[in-house]
Amino acid sequence: MRLDRIALENFRNYASQEIVFDPTCNVICGENAQGKTNLLEAMVFLSVGKSLRTRFDRELIRFDQEGFHLEGTVYTRNREYVSRIDAGFGKKKRITINQVPAKAATDLSAVLNTVFFCPEDLQLIKEGAAARRRFIDASLCQLRPRYAAALAEYQRLHEHKTRILRDCADRPDLIATLPDFNLRMAETGAVLIHYRARFVKLLSVCAATAHSECSGGREHLEIQYKTVRTVSDPFGDHKLLVVQLLEHQREHHYAEISGRQCLSGPHKDDMEVLLDGLSARSYASQGQTRTAALALKLAAREIHKEITGEYPILLLDDVLSELDPKRQEYVLNRIGSGQVFITCCEEDRLHSLLKGNVYRVKNGTTVLQ
Ligand code: ATP
Ligand code: MG
């Protein structure tokens, strides 16, 4: 898969711009605050219909403007697609694919897929479970529409149940509605666990290979999926998963009501990253943390290739310069096939390492060199 062209209008600091890309490598360089990350953000938006940096689309609209448009020309599965997004204040965003209105933002993932890696991704290893869950969710949502639908439904139920738990002290009648929510959350939660267990297993294999190659074969990386305690086997059948999730909910019924929060369910899932058997979160050095985070991202890319037959486009924001020369070389060799977009600062001189197009970004204008 490749992104051949992007058009941005009133998106972040871009007024109106059309850019044509190289099928292999695109280096985007410029000084700070010129629009490098904004450009990658636009690509992510074209693949998932939302931003990774903000929850609110309105922040993406160029200051003093009414709305933004994004258009991407993508080549995948032997044909060309044009995805288009129109968003504005106070109106629902409109998405079309080859001029046909899309039903949901997730339809964009049927056309363009991205793997995005930025310095904050080191949190994947060092921070709490939320960053790792976001990573699993983002990868799976692009791969499995059924997962994306189940996740949206689960989040909706979770929000609703949280509101009930918050309000039920004043309105005890609401407690009667909990069993229905619990059952529906167990049903959809079981779907999430089914997909996550399989994804993390594949991730463990692919990330171990990437980490081992990157560390010169010295370290072994392993990933374990952590879910609700009563689930005896996350690969188990759906009915059994539901029963075990309901059992956990029952155990936490009173604690949920007195604590006024939802304590039971896969919204607390995590994956543990181990280096030579030790928790990376507690023990990994800075170098090991970077290597492990990179291994996770490259593994997600491999899994995508394995399942769909095509590499998603790889977006590396400001990360290559942080790696030592050996790891830089490893990443660049690993990319091999597939299209990549790399941002860097002027002084990095990264473009001398790479073949492909070099673009300079200045104050929201991108020029091919
Ligand atoms: P760095 O090297 O520091 O990471 P960058 O080139 O990646 O810089 P971006 O994150 O792309 O920089 O942001 C560039 C500029 O875009 C910022 O100065 C920011 O103020 C501006 N910007 C962000 N949102 C908007 C918006 N809605 N309208 C206009 N400008 C915006
Ligand atoms: Mg940036």
Side-chain angles (χ1 to χ4, degrees):
M1 136 180 331
R2 50 170 218 259
L3 179 64
D4 287 333
R5 174 192 147 266
I6 194 169
L8 312 99
E9 221 169 283
N10 294 328
F11 183 88
R12 295 282 195 190
N13 66 338
Y14 287 84
S16 176
Q17 168 110 56
E18 189 169 1
I19 314 169
V20 173
F21 295 114
D22 184 84
T24 55
C25 185
N26 298 275
V27 181
I28 296 149
C29 53
E31 289 172 8
N32 293 135
Q34 300 304 309
K36 301 183 297 294
T37 304
N38 292 347
L39 184 58
L40 299 192
E41 186 181 32
M43 296 177 191
V44 171
F45 205 99
L46 276 169
S47 76
V48 292
K50 58 181 186 229
S51 164
L52 294 177
R53 294 206 282 186
T54 168
R55 278 183 61 195
F56 305 106
D57 291 351
R58 61 172 183 272
E59 287 174 21
L60 306 173
I61 303 173
R62 193 170 132 90
F63 301 144
D64 302 327
Q65 299 296 318
E66 298 288 305
F68 71 82
H69 308 287
L70 285 179
E71 201 172 279
T73 305
V74 180
Y75 189 83
T76 177
R77 299 186 295 269
N78 301 319
R79 62 172 289 203
E80 193 172 271
Y81 294 85
V82 177
S83 302
R84 185 175 167 90
I85 298 159
D86 296 284
F89 284 110
K91 54 178 194 194
K92 207 166 167 271
K93 79 187 142 211
R94 252 177 57 90
I95 298 170
T96 59
I97 292 162
N98 290 346
Q99 300 186 340
V100 179
K103 279 193 228 57
T106 48
D107 291 358
L108 291 164
S109 300
V111 175
L112 181 65
N113 303 120
T114 49
V115 169
F116 180 73
F117 187 44
C118 67
E120 288 88 65
D121 282 324
L122 302 184
Q123 293 173 357
L124 268 178
I125 308 297
K126 285 290 174 183
E127 297 292 311
R132 287 179 289 280
R133 267 196 313 271
R134 271 199 302 276
F135 168 69
I136 299 175
D137 288 342
S139 306
L140 271 170
C141 282
Q142 290 194 56
L143 277 170
R144 303 285 189 209
R146 200 176 152 229
Y147 181 85
L151 183 66
E153 169 73 358
Y154 187 88
Q155 284 168 340
R156 201 182 57 77
L157 292 166
H158 177 252
E159 265 171 40
H160 205 146
K161 181 174 165 184
T162 304
R163 268 204 306 278
I164 293 174
L165 289 168
R166 203 188 49 213
D167 299 342
C168 67
D170 301 326
R171 287 190 50 199
D173 57 304
L174 287 175
I175 292 180
T177 62
L178 280 179
D180 180 44
F181 276 96
N182 282 342
L183 180 61
R184 285 196 283 160
M185 278 176 84
E187 290 277 356
T188 25
V191 176
L192 301 186
I193 292 173
H194 169 95
Y195 282 105
R196 286 178 179 173
R198 283 157 183 80
F199 178 75
V200 174
K201 190 174 170 204
L202 267 176
L203 193 70
S204 184
V205 175
C206 296
T209 310
H211 190 92
S212 160
E213 284 173 19
C214 200
S215 64
R218 273 177 308 199
E219 291 160 10
H220 178 69
L221 180 145
E222 193 189 330
I223 308 173
Q224 287 168 0
Y225 176 46
K226 304 272 173 213
T227 187
V228 178
R229 188 183 39 76
T230 48
V231 171
S232 55
D233 174 14
F235 293 91
D237 95 4
H238 180 82
K239 279 204 192 89
L240 184 62
L241 286 176
V242 174
V243 168
Q244 293 177 334
L245 288 176
L246 288 170
E247 183 187 328
H248 194 265
Q249 287 171 349
R250 263 194 307 279
E251 285 175 15
H252 290 78
H253 179 69
Y254 293 108
E256 284 189 331
I257 291 175
S258 61
R260 296 180 168 206
Q261 45 174 319
C262 189
L263 301 171
S264 173
H267 54 279
K268 296 173 115 38
D269 277 2
D270 195 1
M271 59 179 185
E272 181 160 33
V273 180
L274 301 164
L275 284 178
D276 292 333
L278 289 176
S279 154
R281 191 173 173 201
S282 313
Y283 296 106
S285 72
Q286 282 178 332
Q288 286 176 318
T289 303
R290 273 187 209 151
T291 310
L294 181 64
L296 290 184
K297 291 286 172 156
L298 293 178
R301 183 171 171 264
E302 286 303 325
I303 291 173
H304 204 103
K305 164 80 181 346
E306 226 161 87
I307 293 178
T308 68
E310 289 187 303
Y311 277 116
I313 65 173
L314 181 63
L315 312 175
L316 301 174
D317 192 17
D318 252 349
V319 281
L320 229 42
S321 55
E322 293 209 357
L323 302 175
D324 59 37
K326 219 175 90 197
R327 275 189 288 232
Q328 278 185 0
E329 200 187 298
Y330 165 75
V331 178
L332 298 175
N333 288 335
R334 255 272 150 154
I335 293 164
S337 42
Q339 190 185 27
V340 59
F341 296 82
I342 302 175
T343 70
C344 63
C345 282
E346 285 292 341
E347 61 273 22
D348 286 348
R349 305 256 162 262
L350 254 181
H351 31 281
S352 58
L353 278 171
L354 297 158
K355 287 196 284 287
N357 286 351
V358 177
Y359 302 84
R360 291 234 137 61
V361 187
K362 196 159 189 223
N363 197 13
T365 305
T366 300
V367 184
L368 173 64
Q369 294 295 292

